[in-house]
Amino acid sequence: MALAGNPNCGKTSLFNILTKARQHVGNWPGVTVEKKEGTLKYEGNGYKIIDLPGTYSLGAYSEDEIIARDFVVNENPDVVVNVVDATNIERNLYLTLQLIEMGAKVVIALNMMDEADNKGISIDIKKLSKKLGVKVVPTVALKQQGIEELIKASTSDIINISKIKIDYGDIINNQIEELSKSIEMNIKNTSSKSKWIAIKLLENDEHIKNEINLEKYPQLKQKLNTCNKIIEDELGFEGEMAIVNERYSVISDIVSDTVIRKTSNKESLT
Ligand code: GDP
Ligand code: K
Ligand code: MG
């Protein structure tokens, strides 16, 4: 089990509640980023929990992001508990979409529900869960609320991989498709990850280029250039920009369908 989320969403609070004192703090190999591991005991079973570094995204822009995504991609945890700050859902879902896109088994802990209430933010949990294709459990880590439900959802034998597809629009969708095929043809054992790798390549992600050894596959490299050129010619900007924009547009649709912000008396008086 891995805990993932933006900085300040309540990840460490939840980690402490779930693991009690059963924790070990070290470093991730090769870097000075703190690695926290612990054990959740539930109904006679022990579950190893890793507290991943808090990040807003899973790009290749910081050590934290690379650690978090490499862990999810390479270790393939039974479940990724994605802690989402309910008061800042729009920003937090950017990470959620990427976890889903990686094919991770995600359960969302929608934390800070007390703060959301105070701010007049009401969230249709069922609808949010349906739109994202994953379980959403409301929690208040500060008051230890929702913990039992979260543990039940996260230790369940059936945690579905979300089936939602992010629609990047025809032009980008086609290039993702083309590039995935080329990845599968060129690199062995990539069929389950080819789409994600394709998206990362179109995002111009240096880390994935090194990871897959792109320089060793001139055909694939050529294909990537062609795909990038088509996107730029058709859309007028680079793949990376187009992909980020589409993610935000999907999030904005989800939020407008599931979140209602009431203006409280307090706010309207100030
Ligand atoms: P992390 O950065 O994601 O590890 O977040 P922390 O667990 O360190 O929490 C950040 C701050 O939010 C701390 O001051 C926590 O006490 C507080 N916090 C965590 N969960 C909740 C919650 O559900 N409600 C409220 N009001 N505060 C919370
Ligand atoms: K805070
Ligand atoms: Mg923390």
Side-chain angles (χ1 to χ4, degrees):
M1 184 182 301
L3 286 179
N6 290 10
N8 270 317
C9 64
K11 221 157 42 63
T12 297
S13 306
L14 279 172
F15 179 78
N16 290 339
I17 295 168
L18 295 174
T19 59
K20 308 224 168 85
R22 295 176 295 265
Q23 295 183 7
H24 171 79
V25 182
N27 278 330
W28 292 90
V31 291
T32 52
V33 179
E34 187 181 85
K35 181 179 190 182
K36 275 173 137 184
E37 292 175 78
T39 308
L40 159 69
K41 293 230 168 110
Y42 183 63
E43 293 191 332
N45 295 312
Y47 302 86
K48 197 173 152 194
I49 308 185
I50 313 282
D51 188 19
L52 295 175
T55 62
Y56 295 107
S57 178
L58 293 170
Y61 294 105
S62 70
E63 260 173 6
D64 287 358
E65 291 189 14
I66 290 171
I67 287 170
R69 71 184 234 191
D70 276 358
F71 187 84
V72 175
V73 173
N74 301 332
E75 306 297 320
N76 193 25
D78 296 335
V79 56
V80 177
V81 176
N82 174 207
V83 187
V84 166
D85 176 354
T87 67
N88 217 333
I89 203 162
E90 199 134 9
R91 184 201 243 179
N92 279 246
L93 286 184
Y94 193 75
L95 179 69
T96 307
L97 281 195
Q98 291 181 73
L99 289 169
I100 287 173
E101 205 159 57
M102 288 161 89
K105 290 180 190 161
V106 174
V107 168
I108 292 180
L110 189 59
N111 195 39
M112 306 265 184
M113 285 301 280
D114 56 335
E115 290 269 342
D117 279 345
N118 289 342
K119 291 184 173 166
I121 300 167
S122 100
I123 301 165
D124 187 334
I125 309 265
K126 260 197 187 154
K127 211 169 181 182
L128 180 63
S129 166
K130 200 165 164 218
K131 293 243 162 208
L132 293 169
V134 302
K135 265 204 183 136
V136 177
V137 182
T139 60
V140 182
L142 199 63
K143 298 174 195 154
Q144 306 221 6
Q145 288 168 5
I147 305 302
E148 178 84 14
E149 292 84 348
L150 180 63
I151 294 174
K152 266 194 195 141
S154 316
T155 57
S156 158
D157 290 332
I158 28 164
I159 297 170
N160 295 321
I161 293 174
S162 174
K163 291 187 185 67
I164 68 155
K165 298 259 181 304
I166 297 164
D167 183 3
Y168 289 108
D170 287 348
I171 291 157
I172 295 176
N173 285 344
N174 287 341
Q175 302 318 307
I176 292 173
E177 196 63 39
E178 287 286 309
L179 202 51
S180 309
K181 277 191 231 154
S182 177
I183 291 163
E184 287 174 32
M185 277 193 308
N186 282 283
I187 315 172
K188 278 186 203 127
N189 301 323
T190 44
S191 63
S192 65
K193 297 191 231 174
S194 63
K195 196 176 164 199
W196 181 74
I197 297 172
I199 292 168
K200 286 287 145 197
L201 287 177
L202 291 173
E203 283 185 272
N204 197 26
D205 184 303
E206 293 300 333
H207 183 65
I208 202 87
K209 287 183 189 170
N210 291 332
E211 186 107 310
I212 65 169
N213 242 322
L214 182 64
E215 294 303 323
K216 266 175 55 189
Y217 306 100
Q219 245 185 330
L220 176 59
K221 208 178 155 186
Q222 180 57 42
K223 185 78 193 171
L224 175 61
N225 286 339
T226 311
C227 291
N228 269 326
K229 182 149 192 332
I230 292 172
I231 291 174
E232 250 191 279
D233 287 351
E234 299 277 336
L235 296 174
F237 41 77
E238 287 175 351
E240 180 178 12
M241 181 73 133
I243 283 171
V244 171
N245 284 346
E246 283 313 313
R247 282 200 195 115
Y248 278 117
S249 137
V250 168
I251 290 170
S252 157
D253 287 346
I254 293 174
V255 170
S256 72
D257 272 352
T258 56
V259 181
I260 300 168
R261 285 188 179 80
K262 286 166 278 182
T263 321
S264 72
N265 291 336
K266 235 190 266 166
E267 268 172 316
S268 56
L269 283 173
T270 54

